[in-house]
Amino acid sequence: MTLSSALLCLRGVVTREALRFVNQRGRFLSALVRPLVWLFIFAAGFRSVLGVSIIPPYETYVLYEEYIAPGLLGMILLFNGMQSSLSMVYDREMGSMRTLLVSPLPRWYLLLCKLLAGVSVAIVQAFVFMCIAWFWEVRPPVIGYFLLVPALLLGGLMLGAMGLMLSSMIKQLENFAGVMNFVIFPMFFASSALYPLWRIRDSSQLLYWICTYNPFTYAVELIRFAMYGKLHVMAMLVVAACTTVFMAAAVIGYDPLRGFLSRKDGGAPSKK
Amino acid sequence: MTEDLALDVDQVSFSYGNTQALNKVCLQVPESGFVALLGANGAGKSTLFSIITGLYSAQQGTVSVKGHALRTDTLNALSKMGVVFQRPTVDMDLSVIQNLRYAADLQGIPTAEAKNRIALGLEQHELTGFEKRKVGALSGGQRRRVELARALLHRPALLLLDEPTVGLDLQSRSNFVAHVKSLCADIGTGVLWATHLLDEVVTDDDVYILDKGLMVEHGTVVELVKKHNVDDITAVFNSIVVREAS
């Protein structure tokens, strides 16, 4: 693999993902409407119910809308990661995934390109969300907007890699509904996205324990701190480690010799 | 393993659990040669294609493309092949030119060179004028031509086609077969054409017959007809399949 062929491949995969995204306006709108509904309705309703004390990275009391904004950015990344893996399962069933996998580049690199393409789209969505949220008084310092990029990138890579790993295990598109119920919702709700961890500990020690082992919590905290110009080292390390593990599992999953795809009917083309 | 062969499949076996899909299959495609792989549904053709394209890994045996072993020299082997899968793999939401640009990028063809090759490919495959049309809006025959243009964009030594005419009407099928044969003869690409539609092979074609995972016959249509003392390749095929089934 030469550098030029690697860059051309990356350009091809990212361009395709962007074109598909532009062509599917409904996907863009639904990806945006979901967190905005949470911000406009859920946060407004719970503003007076849920008090948020001064906890890092905040230096003063903040509105509940401001507290859940990083969680909603995490939600965009989470749903986008799952959307990408859904499209991988769809592409595999429809056949277009094979075009990618028979390209003369290492499989790990092809999967990385696919991952980066999905995350690029998610970052655009996240910034459109932040622009709208500005009018809802979610106004982090200017430096926060710049630091959000690497935080969103790393968080998006982790959630995208998790989606890739899941897509290598899912045999048929119909099974994907299970992922929604067993992965996305538990990950989102059992995290610090909607409530601070100390609040959760007050109500349930078990739930608190689950939240502290949920990688999504660390992605949200990484974003939260970056948004206020700070670095949460522990969150960054956990997210980086989880990204590596999920990506390695995805590469093994897509390996024709060792992976889930080599098993009977495991995403195989129709047998002849 | 020799570079004179576009494809060399040697003693390849594969099973799904306890079901043996391929049993010591051997097959060769010479440089610039046209080879038809015949087999009924379930014979193992698509499994063999998945192995040749590296989507599955052979449990036994070797596959090499232009002398490059698929297992040990994977990227060079893959760079020498173009594939048209049984089910359409082009992106229906993208235009013809966007699909071709995507393929060029995946193959690492530099931008300027890709532009020239795409223009030539559109002309060769009679797609000029359809560049900006979404693939989903094209006819079945035109979509197959887009797939073919994409598979040949990087000028492979080997072109694999897995039941490429499924879903096409008789006239489109016959046009597509003639188009592939003439084009690949011109550009010197070896072709492996898998099909269960026996009218797609003609007298001087090199034919392999795969049945229940075993390569049961090999020869030109004339040789096989003579050997089995029948009238045509359909009778040869039926006699083998019936004999194997009984």
Side-chain angles (χ1 to χ4, degrees), chain B residues 134-153:
Chain B
K134 281 191 179 177
V135 172
L138 299 178
S139 70
Q142 287 169 327
R143 283 181 204 172
R144 287 324 240 173
R145 283 173 187 262
V146 175
E147 300 234 17
L148 187 60
R150 189 185 61 182
L152 291 172
L153 207 55

Side-chain angles (χ1 to χ4, degrees), chain B residues 5-32:
Chain B
L5 293 172
L7 174 68
D8 188 6
V9 175
D10 188 27
Q11 301 277 317
V12 163
S13 296
F14 188 87
S15 59
Y16 298 102
N18 294 326
T19 310
Q20 184 89 40
L22 295 173
N23 191 359
K24 295 186 178 173
V25 166
C26 295
L27 179 150
Q28 294 182 329
V29 177
E31 247 182 17
S32 311

Side-chain angles (χ1 to χ4, degrees), chain B residues 92-127:
Chain B
M92 300 292 171
D93 291 330
L94 302 188
S95 68
V96 171
I97 202 145
Q98 285 168 344
N99 267 289
L100 294 179
R101 279 189 195 136
Y102 174 55
D105 283 344
L106 289 184
Q107 294 295 338
I109 304 170
T111 309
E113 176 68 16
K115 200 174 171 185
N116 293 335
R117 289 197 195 184
I118 289 170
L120 182 65
L122 288 168
E123 194 185 318
Q124 281 176 330
H125 301 284
E126 296 163 20
L127 290 165

Side-chain angles (χ1 to χ4, degrees), chain A residues 49-66:
Chain A
V49 179
L50 295 172
V52 180
S53 64
I54 301 173
I55 49 168
Y58 307 110
E59 288 164 359
T60 180
Y61 288 101
V62 291
L63 290 175
Y64 185 59
E65 282 90 333
E66 207 164 344

Side-chain angles (χ1 to χ4, degrees), chain A residues 104-127:
Chain A
L105 289 156
R107 196 152 292 185
W108 67 264
Y109 182 73
L110 293 169
L111 293 174
L112 183 66
C113 288
K114 187 84 182 160
L115 192 56
L116 286 169
V119 176
S120 308
V121 167
I123 291 177
V124 173
Q125 287 174 358
F127 273 92

Side-chain angles (χ1 to χ4, degrees), chain B residues 34-100:
Chain B
F34 182 92
V35 171
L37 175 64
L38 303 182
N41 288 336
K45 300 191 300 293
S46 287
T47 302
L48 182 58
F49 263 72
S50 294
I51 289 170
I52 295 170
T53 52
L55 294 174
Y56 292 176
S57 186
Q59 289 150 350
Q60 278 178 37
T62 58
V63 174
S64 57
V65 182
K66 277 298 275 178
H68 301 284
L70 191 64
R71 191 183 289 268
T72 54
D73 194 6
T74 312
L75 302 188
N76 277 324
L78 288 176
S79 70
K80 300 283 183 292
M81 70 170 81
V83 192
V84 176
F85 288 104
Q86 184 180 349
R87 294 173 73 170
T89 57
V90 278
D91 204 319
M92 300 292 171
D93 291 330
L94 302 188
S95 68
V96 171
I97 202 145
Q98 285 168 344
N99 267 289
L100 294 179

